[in-house]
Amino acid sequence: RSQGHAARRRGPPRPGRRALEPDRKVFKKEMRAFFQAMDAAMPSGKTPVFIVDSIDHCRGRAATFDEVRDSVESLFSRYASEPALPDMHVIYTVPVYAEPAGWEGRIWPVLSVKVQERDGGDCRAGIDLLRQVPASRAPGGDLERLLGSRIDRVIRASGGLFRRAIPSGLRAPGQLLVKDGALPVGTADIDQEERQQCSYAAAGLTEEQWDILRTVRQTGQLRVPRERTSEAWTLQALGYVLRYRNGVVDWYGVHPLLDKLLDEA
């Protein structure tokens, strides 16, 4: 009985440690052998780039946030040499909250493309840049065939979040174009999609998160008390708070579709 209580107090081992501690030498040897074989199969003179995505999905709610953060940071600090792969460029997308002290590789913040200025006006350079994404996928680069004259509206509604920029503001690309009906997509379809996405996002927000969004809109910064850290990082991970850069200075904005709801929430 007492041992059972002790085990519960200690809690389960953190995921990063549980994966690496049993026999790290064997794990490391087998992992590197796999990638060395892959490298050997590549064309001569070409250095592979291996992208490890979705680590940024590791996040906990208020009760577990610190544990998850410690686990991720442990992987890239205590075990900093383990994620490196020989003869390969490796890119990891880690949560924005992680600050691994022992990581010697380069770290780049993933920023949103600036499609609006802090005063709310258009950033034409960012809009034009994002137009290249659907243009590269449209037959013959014909954007008018897909969205008519409404392409800039859809880009503005994305907030510049690159992964979701075209054509839906809050969800994955393609939501509008897979609907039944003729192209180009009409204004009514875009209106309906935006309403659905706003409704979906708003229904999952807590009152604390609405407060954070209001503060971000007022200040252009993402600064919260420690007890709300998990809520703030969740908002950024979901794309509801977006990070931009003016020169070397970062600022934050609320996703345009949610920004419209702040006065009503």
Side-chain angles (χ1 to χ4, degrees), residues 98 122 137 151 230:
D122 284 351
R137 300 178 179 179
I151 181 64
S230 65

Side-chain angles (χ1 to χ4, degrees), residues 144-148 150 176-177 182-190:
E144 300 295 319
R145 178 179 176 183
L146 298 179
L147 290 163
R150 292 164 287 279
L176 286 168
L177 299 183
L183 293 176
V185 175
T187 300
D189 288 326
I190 297 176

Side-chain angles (χ1 to χ4, degrees), residues 105-237:
R106 298 189 65 180
I107 298 176
W108 292 274
V110 178
L111 305 171
S112 299
V113 177
K114 192 171 67 172
V115 295
Q116 65 177 5
E117 304 292 351
R118 292 189 66 170
D119 62 6
D122 284 351
C123 178
R124 193 66 242 173
I127 293 174
D128 290 342
L129 182 64
L130 281 183
R131 285 176 66 100
Q132 298 177 26
V133 179
S136 66
R137 300 178 179 179
D142 186 2
L143 292 180
E144 300 295 319
R145 178 179 176 183
L146 298 179
L147 290 163
S149 61
R150 292 164 287 279
I151 181 64
D152 284 1
R153 170 188 169 177
V154 173
I155 290 176
R156 292 188 195 98
S158 76
L161 190 60
F162 180 79
R163 286 182 176 181
R164 307 171 189 177
I166 303 298
S168 175
L170 280 169
R171 290 207 317 200
Q175 288 296 317
L176 286 168
L177 299 183
V178 298
K179 293 177 179 291
D180 292 334
L183 293 176
V185 175
T187 300
D189 288 326
I190 297 176
D191 290 342
Q192 181 181 4
E193 180 68 16
E194 289 187 356
R195 286 193 298 269
Q196 289 178 346
Q197 298 309 315
C198 285
S199 177
Y200 171 81
L205 293 175
T206 65
E207 187 57 44
E208 290 78 10
Q209 289 172 327
W210 282 115
D211 288 342
I212 293 172
L213 292 175
R214 293 187 190 96
T215 300
V216 170
R217 182 170 71 169
Q218 293 170 0
T219 66
Q221 297 297 320
L222 184 60
R223 297 171 182 165
V224 297
R226 181 175 179 81
E227 62 270 17
R228 290 192 174 182
T229 301
S230 65
E231 303 286 353
W233 292 132
T234 295
L235 289 171
Q236 191 172 0

